[in-house]
Structures are given as C-alpha cells and as structure tokens.
C-alpha cells in the first residue's frame, strides 16, 4: 500500500466514479482502475462493488477511509518535518 494507491482510493471513494477520479487526479481511467485493483489484491478484499452506473463502497472500504486519510496526513506531516529539519541544517552551516 502506497501514497498513490491511498490517494486514488480516497478520491474514487469520494467521487464514486473511476472516470471522475481520473479527471480530478489527472490520471487515465484505466490507470485508476488498475491502481484500485492492485490495492484490492494487496488487501485481500474488494473495496468497491462495480455496477454499470455506479460504484458502491464495501464495508471494508468504509473502514479503510479514515485509516487512509490518517496515513496520508501522517505522511504529509513527516515530509514537512523532514523538509524543515533539512532547512535548519542547511541554514546552520
């Protein structure tokens, strides 16, 4: 599970559409579908029930949403912290 997979999952879950998610993320629709499929395979369960006109979140997807949001938030905080630490070191030389 990586940043890209979690971001694709969250946007797709919000939009309930691979097409809308692809537009929002500036990624092709097949790439979004493949990313979600790979995430589902890694996790061992389906995240969406795919119907012709809509995507329905599975109970597992509903549980994953707050976890994925928290992971992305923590990744962003870690990146910001490390960037700031690098700036402090660079400016103290």
């Amino acid at each position: 599970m990586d940043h890209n997979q979690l971001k694709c999952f969250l946007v797709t879950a919000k939009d309930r559409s691979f097409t809308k998610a692809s537009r929002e993320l500036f990624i092709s629709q097949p790439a979004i579908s493949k990313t979600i499929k790979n995430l589902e395979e890694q996790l061992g369960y389906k995240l969406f029930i795919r119907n012709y006109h809509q995507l329905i979140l599975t109970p597992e997807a509903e549980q994953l949403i707050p976890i994925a949001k928290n992971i992305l938030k923590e990744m962003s905080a870690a990146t910001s912290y490390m960037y700031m630490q690098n700036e402090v070191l660079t400016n103290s030389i």
Side-chain angles (χ1 to χ4, degrees):
M1 184 176 351
D2 64 27
H3 179 274
N4 184 51
Q5 289 174 319
L6 293 175
K7 183 72 174 169
C8 285
F9 163 69
L10 288 173
V11 173
T12 303
K14 175 181 67 78
D15 293 340
R16 302 287 203 279
S17 166
F18 291 128
T19 302
K20 288 179 184 176
S22 72
R23 287 186 201 131
E24 185 172 333
L25 294 170
F26 304 102
I27 302 171
S28 71
Q29 187 274 326
I32 295 281
S33 296
K34 184 175 180 179
T35 299
I36 296 297
K37 182 180 180 203
N38 289 341
L39 180 59
E40 289 174 329
E41 288 173 359
Q42 286 177 0
L43 295 173
Y45 53 81
K46 294 287 185 190
L47 296 170
F48 299 98
I49 298 167
R50 294 151 173 89
N51 288 337
Y52 180 71
H53 292 289
Q54 69 185 77
L55 289 177
I56 300 168
L57 294 173
T58 63
E60 293 84 2
E62 294 283 358
Q63 293 175 348
L64 182 59
I65 288 172
I67 296 167
K69 286 179 179 179
N70 190 49
I71 290 170
L72 291 179
K73 179 180 158 191
E74 292 296 323
M75 288 176 79
S76 178
T79 301
S80 294
Y81 175 79
M82 296 309 294
Y83 177 78
M84 290 173 68
Q85 291 294 67
N86 187 39
E87 288 294 311
V88 168
L89 289 173
T90 302
N91 291 332
S92 67
I93 296 178

